[in-house]
Structure formats: structure tokens, C-alpha cells
């Protein structure tokens, strides 16, 4: 029946069409206008320009801010269309521009619990850095991207790359260590993977957001050369190695101006010097003005529109912000959407590949665990020879700790120490992933008696240890955004626990779960120590695989472990003066920041001497140096050959001299000519080499001239100081058996 009616009406309308077209001239084009910007042959810039021409002022302003968040200013009714992430920017359907759905995704996708979804928790970012493996970093980013897309997001807010200048920073676990080359290259690899999967990547927190204490009020003072050669260099290297679409400016001030309205940081350095083509997004509540921020280069305010809504619109209408400046902000966002493919390849909600995620999490953790001490070769444990094991430590029967704040991934399976089923997490609540060391160890040593003690009473833990062949003690130090550690010491009397257990049993293994260095007053009394970081969803299985030798450890420290806090450049963290305007008690964060409270000062007099550069320059012995990590095999280095040139080539041989296959991170450092006035050495390259027993490989590391240069503040450019450069090669920043000096000129 339907076809009959349709046939008749078709006939009638065709007749009418013929008649009307005889009478009326047809419009040049009918129906919706063709969207020329959807032509994928055009460049992202061309496509952005074409869209821009069609946009109204309101549509432009709409792209420059989010829709708000409870506690951080007003919330728009449009926010109901948010995908449940930290940020939502409505699209422009009439032009075919999709919404931007942003989610925090430091070590996995955030907020899965409250959204009823699933996310894999990878090992913390600092752990990934300890793998020194660019392929692992790529896999890390690819997994995050696939889960973001499966959940309906198209922008990631991961990518933390602040240098660990202050190891008590509560976000150390979210970052990639203390060296700009390592951190910059690793984050670039993560970002490349995310963007290849059509997710907008973002690196943060630009810049010098190196402590959480008073982060909204602190003013960081640093000289230009030091900033460019340290914290900023990590961002520069990241952008040199990946076309990253977004950079998040931070809460703090730098040399007087808030980072999100800092002309030097945003315009001079990021957009002009580094030729950044993407957009600058403010940290949540880190915008402080409309006109000043716009002039300084802030493109987008999150989470709402305290400044980048009506106030920015009025500023444009009254000419205080030019149309060209406004268009530049909008163009950058559109361009990034085209460049990353979020318009051509929209996210499709789908089922997450849980098993794949868990496998990636385990494999990365296995490559990230650092063996710090193995005196007497207690590890790897031989399950066939062990009759009894004491597993000791807070919650080591059920889980492993994770890093908190906006990086927090809700634990698949629920928080191990909460009632079952309680998946969502609360801000500033330590979360234990349900990956049980006790179970993982029992699975490896099926023939042994494996018993557990929480360590709450060190004496009873020591009693259990005394009668066991081996004692394995899991200790932790929890970290979170918005809190700095009060000290690098392990909390909750865990130092005492270790001392008593180690005194009771010489075969004691310490497994650290931390986001950064800890102090170890017991270091000389314990023969075996491993750093497992915040190990993610499969932390326990990975630790067990290392302890029992199924996997040979290959991680190296991306951060120095100092002997004591007295050895840090700042023995005390500078905190906002209490009861001052900079530290009002209570009140939402955005109100504090928007009101522009008086800053308190932190001065980075140590300048470029971050991490190992500081300890080297000050001749301070450390517990475990940057780049350090043991293996169950041994390696030797020989045949160093440095070829001078604009991109010096450093060639050498690494041999696996032991009986087990392994992977060695071969590190290349350089000492600059004394005229450069630099710390004793800097990392200039590395290669992670996989070697079978007795196998040898020739390695060549090509060194980027920028990484051998200093920043000349007069020319505002990198400069290679002519003179003698000593290249050093080995397995740690303090174990560099090969050395060769060559003369380099510009
Ligand atoms: C953090 C950012 C995060 C944002 C959104 C802020 O508190 O500093 O890293 O991306 O919140 O959750």
C-alpha cells in the first residue's frame, strides 16, 4: 500500500516541479550549503578557516569555554549533554562541528565509577617513565585513547610533564621524572598514540607548577635561562616530537603573572618560539581575566565562562579584544579538531577490551619496576626451594595503592579496602586497587606456606618473618593532587616495621609502592629493595613475576632518591603564610583564584639544577641515582666512538654478560665545555636494548644539537657553545664506564 501512495505523490510532485520550474527561476543552490571544510584533502588550517568564516560571534565565544562544573562557578543547562568528564564544549551542529568531550586520563580514564563504566588503571605515569621505553609509552597512550573513545570522549587531559623539581609534590606520580629529555620524549610518545587514535592530546601544567601547596597563589620566581633549560624544555621537547593539540596552563604565577595570562609563557615562548599551532586550555579555575588572558594567548577557559563568556564577548564588541585575536583563539581549536581527526573520525561508544587493557597494564608495570638492591642475589626467588613466605604490609592481602586527585582511576572491581561494589572514589581518599600481592605470591609459590601480617604491630610481623624462609614487605606512600607530602619518609610507622622485620629475617624483600622517592633510614639493614610505584590494575601480578624471575627487571629511576630532605634544593616546601589572603580558609577554589589573592613567593635559586643536576653540582651523595636500576643479569659497555657534527653520533657496544635475557637502558650523558656554565652532566640520549645471554649489540644514539646547547637570553635562542664535550655512556647517571671528549663547534 505504501508504495502505491508514494508512487502517486511522486508523480504529482514531479508534475508540479516541472510547472513551477517553468514559471520561477530556480535558486542557485537549494538545501543545506555544502560544507567545503569537510573536504579531507584540505589542510587542517584551510578547513578551520572555512568554518570560521561561517561562524557567528556567539558561536565563536561558545567554543572558547566549557559549560561549568559544580564548585567552580556557574553551570550551564547544556552541561546535561556532557559525557560525564571534566570538560564539555557543545558542538555547532549546523556546521557539523562536534562537541568536545574531555576527560582526565593520566593513567587511565577518570570517573568511570560515577558514570557506570570500566577503565583500566595503568601503572602511574612515573612508572611508565621508569620503563624508559618509548614503545611502552606509545602502548600506554594507545590504551588510554581506545578507552576514552569507547566511553565517548574525544579529548584527553592526561599528559602531565612538569619536571620533578620538588619531589614532595603530591603529583609526582602523574609526571615523568626530573629530566626534560626523558619526560619530553615519553609524553610525546603517549600523545602521538592518543592523537593517532583521533583523541585530542593535551600536555600540562604549563608551567612550573611544581608544588601543590598554595598552587593558586604561589608566584614562582626563576630566571629565563634556567626556566628554558629545565621545566620549559620538557614541554619544548614534547612539542618537537609530537604535534600536540592542546597545552593546559597552570594555576600558579610565574615571575609575577598567572600562567594563564602570562604573555611570556603563552605568546612569546609557546606560540612564537615553539610555533605551537594548537590551543591553550586553562586549568580548571585557573583563568583570572578576559582581556589580559586573551591578549596573553589563553584560547579556552575551563570549566566554565567566568571570563570567556559575556565578558569576552563585550570586550570584542567594544574593540578591547580585536576580531583577529578572537578568531585566532577559535581557529586554533577548530584546527586541532581537524588535525587530530575528531571531526572525520568521531568517537564510537563501544565495549572496552578488558583483557587487553589488563595485559597492557601488567606488561608496562613489569618494565617499570626498578630493582634497587639485591645483595646476595636473594632475587629472583626460586619457588621450588622455598617452604614458607611471610607477606607483610598494610593491605598487602587485598590490594595496592594508587595515586589520587584528578588522575584517579576508579578501581575496576572496587576499592580493595571498601565494601564490595563501591566503585566510585571520593576526592582525597586513598584508593587501593584490588590486585592482591598475597594472592599473586601464593599463585607463584603453590608448594609453600604463605602467611600474611598487616604490619600494624611490627613485633607480630617480625615474629611471623622470623619463622619464614623469606619475608616480603609491601610498604606504601600515598600521593594526591592538591596535597604535598609532608615528608619523603614512609608514613604510619612503616620504617619501624621494616627495621623490625629485617632484623628478624635476613632474607627480607622490600616492595615500595610510591609515586616518587622515599627516604630509607633502614637501607643498610635490608638486602633487597624494589620500587613498584603505583602499579595499576595488575600491579601484584607484575611484582610477583619480577620477584619469582619470570620477568627480568629492566626499569631505571626517572628520579633521584636523595638520602634526606636536607639534601634537597629546598629542605622545606614553601607554604602560603597561614591566615593570609593567599591562604583563605575554605571557599571554592575558583573564588580564591578569581579574586587574585596576594601571591607568596617561591624562588628557584637552584635554577637549572633539577634532580641529579643538583646532587652532581653540589657533590651530594644520594641513596639511588637517576637512571639507576639493577637486573638479574649483568651488562658490559665497550667500543665508544663519538662522531662530531651537527648531530653527534655516539656509538658503543652493550653485551649481556650474564645468563638471563634482559633489557638494558643504555644512557648517554654529556658534560658541556666549562664556558657553558652548566651542571656537571646532562642526559642527551638513551636506548633500551633487549639482549639474550652473551648477546652483544652495537648501539648508535644520535644527539639532537638542542640538547647539547644552552639557552642564550640575549638572542633568545639555543646556542651550542664551541669547545670540548665529554660524552659518557653507561647504565646509570653514576655508572658511566665509557668516556670520550670531542670538540664541537656551531
Ligand atoms: C587539575 C587538572 C585537571 C583538571 C580537570 C585540575 O584540578 O589540575 O590536571 O585536568 O582539574 O579535572
Amino acid at each position: 500500500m505504501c508504495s502505491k501512495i508514494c508512487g502517486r505523490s511522486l508523480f504529482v510532485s514531479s508534475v508540479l516541479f516541472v510547472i513551477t520550474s517553468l514559471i520561477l527561476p530556480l535558486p542557485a543552490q537549494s538545501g543545506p550549503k555544502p560544507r567545503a571544510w569537510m573536504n579531507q584533502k584540505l589542510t587542517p588550517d584551510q578547513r578551520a578557516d572555512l568554518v570560521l568564516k561561517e561562524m557567528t560571534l556567539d558561536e565563536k565565544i561558545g567554543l572558547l569555554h566549557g559549560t561549568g562544573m559544580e564548585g567552580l562557578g556557574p553551570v550551564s543547562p547544556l552541561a546535561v549533554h556532557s559525557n560525564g568528564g571534566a570538560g564539555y564544549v557543545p558542538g555547532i551542529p549546523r556546521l557539523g562541528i562536534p562537541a568536545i568531550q574531555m576527560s582526565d586520563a593520566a593513567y587511565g580514564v577518570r570517573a568511570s565509577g560515577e558514570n557506570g563504566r570500566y577503565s583500566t588503571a595503568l601503572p602511574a605515569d612515573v612508572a611508565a617513565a621508569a620503563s624508559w621505553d618509548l614503545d611502552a609509552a606509545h602502548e600506554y597512550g594507545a590504551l588510554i585513547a581506545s578507552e576514552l573513545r569507547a566511553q565517548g570522549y574525544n579529548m584527553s587531559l592526561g599528559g602531565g610533564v612538569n619536571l620533578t623539581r620538588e619531589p614532595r609534590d603530591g603529583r609526582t606520580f602523574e609526571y615523568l621524572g626530573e629530566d626534560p629529555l626523558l619526560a619530553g620524549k615519553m609524553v610525546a610518545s603517549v600523545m602521538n598514540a592518543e592523537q593517532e587514535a583521533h583523541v585530542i592530546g593535551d600536555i600540562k601544567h604549563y608551567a612550573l607548577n611544581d608544588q601543590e601547596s598554595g598552587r593558586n597563589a604561589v608566584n614562582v620566581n626563576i630566571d629565563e635561562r634556567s626556566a628554558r633549560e629545565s621545566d620549559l624544555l620538557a614541554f619544548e621537547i614534547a612539542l618537537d616530537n609530537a604535534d600536540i593539540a592542546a597545552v593546559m596552563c597552570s594555576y600558579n604565577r610565574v615571575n609575577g603573572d598567572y600562567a594563564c595570562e602570562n604573555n611570556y609563557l603563552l605568546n612569546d615562548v609557546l606560540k612564537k618560539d615553539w610555533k605551537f599551532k594548537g590551543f591553550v586550555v586553562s586549568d580548571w579555575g585557573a583563568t583570572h581575566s578576559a582581556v589580559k588572558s586573551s591578549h596573553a594567548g589563553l584560547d579556552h577557559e575551563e570549566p566554565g565562562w567566568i571570563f570567556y563568556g559575556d565578558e569576552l564577548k563585550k570586550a570584542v564588541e567594544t574593540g578591547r579584544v580585536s576580531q583577529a585575536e578572537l578568531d585566532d583563539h577559535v581557529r586554533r581549536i577548530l584546527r586541532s579538531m581537524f588535525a587530530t581527526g575528531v571531526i572525520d573520525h568521531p568517537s564510537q561508544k563501544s565495549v572496552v577490551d578488558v583483557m587487553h587493557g589488563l595485559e597492557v597494564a601488567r606488561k608496562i608495570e613489569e618494565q617499570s619496576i626498578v630493582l634497587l638492591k639485591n645483595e646476595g642475589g636473594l632475587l629472583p626467588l626460586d619457588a621450588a626451594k622455598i617452604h614458607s613466605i611471610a607477606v607483610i604490609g598494610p593491605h598487602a592481602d587485598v590490594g595496592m595503592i594508587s595515586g589520587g586527585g584528578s588522575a584517579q582511576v576508579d578501581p575496576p572491581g572496587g576499592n580493595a579496602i571498601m565494601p564490595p561494589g563501591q566503585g566510585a572514589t571520593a576526592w582525597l581518599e586513598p584508593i587501593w586497587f584490588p590486585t592482591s600481592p598475597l594472592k599473586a605470591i601464593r599463585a607463584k609459590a603453590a608448594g609453600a606456606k604463605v602467611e600474611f601480617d598487616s604490619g600494624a604491630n611490627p613485633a607480630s610481623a617480625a615474629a611471623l618473618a622470623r619463622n619464614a624462609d623469606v619475608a616480603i614487605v609491601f610498604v606504601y606512600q600515598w600521593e594526591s593532587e592538591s596535597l604535598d607530602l609532608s615528608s619523603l619518609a614512609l608514613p604510619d610507622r612503616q620504617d619501624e616495621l621494616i627495621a623490625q622485620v629485617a632484623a628478624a629475617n635476613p632474607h627480607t624483600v622490600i616492595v615500595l609502592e610510591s609515586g616518587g622517592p622515599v627516604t630509607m633510614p633502614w637501607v643498610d639493614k635490608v638486602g633487597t629493595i624494589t620500587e613498584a610505584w603505583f602499579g595499576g590494575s595488575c600491579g601484584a601480578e607484575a611484582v610477583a613475576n619480577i620477584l619469582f624471575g619470570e620477568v627480568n627487571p629492566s626499569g631505571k629511576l626517572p628520579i633521584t632518591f636523595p638520602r634526606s630532605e636536607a639534601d634537597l634544593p629546598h629542605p622545606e616546601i614553601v607554604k602560603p603564610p597561614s591566615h593570609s589572603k593567599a591562604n583563605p580558609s575554605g571557599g571554592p577554589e575558583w573564588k580564591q583564584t578569581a579574586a587574585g589573592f596576594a601571591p607568596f613567593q617561591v624562588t628557584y635559586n637552584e635554577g637549572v639544577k633539577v634532580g641529579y643536576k643538583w646532587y652532581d653540582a653540589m657533590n651530594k651523595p644520594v641513596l639511588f641515582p637517576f637512571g639507576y636500576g639493577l637486573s638479574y643479569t649483568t651488562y658490559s659497555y665497550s667500543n665508544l666512538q663519538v662522531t662530531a657534527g651537527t648531530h653527534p653520533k655516539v656509538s658503543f657496544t652493550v653485551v649481556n654478560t650474564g645468563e638471563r635475557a634482559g633489557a638494558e637502558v643504555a644512557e648517554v650523558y654529556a658534560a658541556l665545555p666549562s664556558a657553558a656554565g652548566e651542571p656537571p652532566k646532562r642526559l642527551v640520549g638513551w636506548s633500551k636494548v633487549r639482549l639474550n645471554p652473551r648477546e652483544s649489540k652495537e648501539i648508535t644514539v644520535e644527539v639532537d644539537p638542542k640538547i647539547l646547547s644552552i639557552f642564550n637570553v640575549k638572542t633568545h635562542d639555543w646556542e651550542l657553545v664551541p669547545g670540548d664535550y665529554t660524552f659518557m655512556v653507561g647504565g646509570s647517571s653514576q655508572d658511566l664506564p665509557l668516556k670520550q671528549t670531542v670538540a664541537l663547534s656551531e
Side-chain angles (χ1 to χ4, degrees):
M1 188 170 82
C2 174
S3 59
K4 226 172 159 185
I5 294 171
C6 291
R8 188 181 141 81
S9 56
L10 245 185
F11 169 77
V12 173
S13 55
S14 327
V15 172
L16 279 176
F17 175 78
V18 173
I19 297 170
T20 42
S21 46
L22 287 175
I23 305 167
L24 297 170
L26 269 180
Q29 216 168 32
S30 59
K33 278 177 104 180
R35 291 170 174 163
W37 52 89
M38 290 303 180
N39 178 356
Q40 295 184 24
K41 292 199 182 109
L42 300 176
T43 65
D45 294 285
Q46 289 168 326
R47 296 174 75 179
D49 275 331
L50 287 167
V51 183
L52 197 55
K53 281 194 197 125
E54 302 293 325
M55 291 172 75
T56 64
L57 177 58
D58 284 332
E59 285 169 341
K60 290 178 183 176
I61 296 286
L63 263 196
L64 301 186
H65 62 79
T67 44
M69 184 185 256
E70 233 32 89
L72 287 176
V75 179
S76 152
L78 292 175
V80 293
H81 302 294
S82 160
N83 192 42
Y88 163 59
V89 186
I92 310 168
R94 82 175 181 95
L95 301 176
I97 303 302
I100 305 179
Q101 299 281 3
M102 309 175 182
S103 175
D104 281 304
Y107 61 92
V109 183
R110 185 185 176 196
S112 334
E114 67 196 60
N115 288 315
R117 300 175 189 144
Y118 171 88
S119 306
T120 306
L122 288 160
D125 306 72
V126 71
S131 76
W132 294 58
D133 187 328
L134 295 174
D135 295 334
H138 194 274
E139 230 181 320
Y140 195 96
L143 185 79
I144 289 176
S146 70
E147 295 194 357
L148 280 167
R149 283 177 62 86
Q151 295 193 16
Y153 294 108
N154 58 7
M155 178 164 174
S156 148
L157 303 170
V161 68
N162 294 80
L163 285 196
T164 303
R165 189 179 268 281
E166 169 49 75
R168 287 159 299 197
D169 180 357
R171 302 188 85 169
T172 303
F173 73 97
E174 274 187 68
Y175 300 139
L176 298 160
E178 66 192 24
D179 182 80
L181 183 65
L182 178 65
K185 287 244 185 194
M186 292 297 281
V187 84
S189 205
V190 174
M191 290 297 120
N192 277 329
E194 291 187 1
Q195 297 199 161
E196 282 157 19
H198 311 302
V199 168
I200 298 172
D202 161 60
I203 52 173
K204 65 188 189 183
H205 306 88
Y206 185 67
L208 290 139
N209 183 183
D210 296 342
Q211 67 174 56
E212 289 297 279
S213 308
R215 65 182 182 179
N216 291 298
V218 64
N219 177 42
V220 168
N221 298 294
I222 187 166
D223 69 278
E224 186 179 12
R225 175 170 165 186
S226 298
R228 291 298 302 261
E229 291 184 11
S230 59
D231 301 57
L232 268 56
L233 182 55
F235 284 87
E236 181 169 358
I237 291 170
L239 292 166
D240 282 348
N241 286 276
D243 189 8
I244 301 163
V247 169
M248 186 190 292
C249 51
S250 54
Y251 287 120
N252 53 296
R253 294 167 163 98
V254 176
N255 291 331
D257 281 325
Y258 281 110
C260 291
E261 54 183 39
N262 193 308
N263 190 58
Y264 172 78
L265 286 179
L266 305 184
N267 277 335
D268 293 350
V269 177
L270 179 63
K271 293 186 174 177
K272 291 188 190 132
D273 281 10
W274 299 346
K275 303 187 174 44
F276 173 63
K277 289 189 169 162
F279 64 102
V280 178
V281 49
S282 76
D283 200 340
W284 270 231
T287 307
H288 298 273
S289 58
V291 175
K292 183 174 177 186
S293 300
S294 173
H295 288 347
L298 175 69
D299 299 304
H300 181 96
E301 176 183 355
E302 279 294 335
W305 64 99
I306 296 169
F307 301 102
Y308 270 35
D310 285 349
E311 199 175 329
L312 183 61
K313 184 176 170 190
K314 266 190 211 113
V316 174
E317 285 167 343
T318 54
R320 282 174 301 137
V321 165
S322 70
Q323 190 65 49
E325 188 173 294
L326 176 81
D327 284 354
D328 181 57
H329 299 317
V330 179
R331 186 184 296 109
R332 285 169 174 277
I333 295 169
L334 293 168
R335 186 221 179 253
S336 302
M337 295 178 81
F338 284 115
T340 51
V342 302
I343 294 178
D344 301 331
H345 309 275
S347 291
Q348 294 285 330
K349 284 194 180 172
S350 58
V351 175
V352 168
D353 185 345
V354 178
M355 302 315 281
H356 171 67
L358 294 177
E359 196 186 327
V360 172
R362 179 183 48 75
K363 272 185 1 204
I364 293 178
E365 173 67 356
E366 286 168 357
Q367 292 180 68
S368 306
I369 292 171
V370 183
L371 180 60
L372 295 172
K373 224 178 152 185
N374 194 18
E375 271 173 21
L378 177 60
L379 295 184
L381 301 172
D382 183 347
K385 293 190 184 144
I386 297 175
H387 302 105
S388 54
I389 302 177
V391 175
I392 294 167
H395 309 302
D397 52 339
V398 288
M400 293 180 82
I401 193 76
S402 64
S406 58
Q408 182 75 59
V409 175
D410 291 339
N415 186 343
I417 60 165
M418 277 184 184
Q422 190 169 337
T425 57
W427 191 256
L428 291 189
E429 180 185 287
I431 301 297
W432 294 78
F433 287 140
T435 172
S436 156
L438 180 63
K439 267 196 205 156
I441 289 166
R442 282 196 171 135
K444 292 285 173 215
K449 190 164 140 206
V450 183
E451 288 182 287
F452 171 71
D453 187 292
S454 75
N457 175 351
S460 86
L464 182 72
R466 192 166 295 116
N467 296 318
D469 290 349
V470 178
I472 308 176
V473 188
F474 290 80
V475 288
Y476 79 99
Q477 185 190 55
W478 177 69
E479 273 181 15
S480 173
E481 174 184 344
S482 89
L483 277 182
D484 287 325
L485 293 172
S486 55
S487 117
L488 293 181
L490 290 170
D492 302 336
R493 295 175 63 206
Q494 292 177 98
D495 283 339
E496 193 186 327
L497 171 68
I498 294 172
Q500 291 208 26
V501 172
N505 189 331
H507 296 142
T508 292
V509 180
I510 305 300
V511 180
L512 291 164
E513 299 168 39
S514 71
V518 300
T519 46
M520 302 182 190
W522 34 263
V523 70
D524 296 327
K525 301 197 181 92
V526 176
T528 314
I529 308 171
T530 62
E531 172 58 86
W533 314 105
F534 298 150
S537 284
C538 290
E541 291 75 10
V543 167
N545 282 341
I546 294 277
L547 296 182
F548 288 86
E550 264 163 57
V551 176
N552 192 351
S554 64
K556 300 267 175 113
L557 292 180
I559 316 183
T560 308
F561 278 42
R563 284 193 167 177
S564 102
E565 278 143 46
D567 291 337
L568 297 175
H570 302 269
E572 304 265 337
I573 291 195
V574 186
K575 297 217 164 123
S578 53
H579 310 299
S580 77
K581 277 191 156 186
N583 186 27
S585 51
E589 203 162 18
W590 71 273
K591 278 201 174 151
Q592 297 174 27
T593 58
F597 283 98
F600 68 100
Q601 310 295 322
V602 172
T603 302
Y604 290 143
N605 280 329
E606 75 280 7
V608 73
K609 296 195 277 305
V610 175
Y612 64 94
K613 294 171 183 162
W614 166 259
Y615 304 104
D616 276 3
M618 307 306 284
N619 272 318
K620 283 182 192 282
V622 299
L623 262 186
F624 299 107
F626 175 79
Y628 169 86
L630 301 172
S631 158
Y632 298 149
T633 186
T634 45
Y635 303 97
S636 79
Y637 286 80
S638 55
N639 297 334
L640 177 62
Q641 192 99 49
V642 182
T643 317
T646 51
H647 289 73
K649 290 198 174 63
V650 181
S651 303
F652 52 92
T653 306
V654 187
V655 187
N656 180 346
T657 48
E659 303 303 328
R660 275 173 185 264
E664 167 71 335
V665 178
E667 301 162 37
V668 182
Y669 294 81
L672 273 58
S674 53
E678 288 288 312
K681 63 174 172 296
R682 54 167 80 161
L683 180 75
V684 298
W686 79 90
S687 174
K688 190 158 185 176
V689 203
R690 288 179 168 76
L691 292 164
N692 286 320
R694 308 285 152 191
E695 191 186 3
S696 77
K697 273 191 188 153
E698 306 288 317
I699 310 294
T700 297
V701 173
E702 190 176 291
V703 183
D704 181 342
K706 189 185 282 177
I707 217 67
L708 291 169
S709 299
I710 63 164
F711 189 77
N712 184 327
V713 290
K714 291 206 184 94
T715 59
H716 279 274
D717 209 351
W718 293 99
E719 175 190 329
L720 192 103
V721 178
D724 286 344
Y725 286 72
T726 301
F727 289 87
M728 294 162 268
V729 179
S732 135
S733 65
Q734 286 191 13
D735 181 13
L736 298 165
L738 308 182
K739 273 192 183 53
Q740 189 183 335
T741 302
V742 296
L744 297 180
S745 51
E746 282 167 90

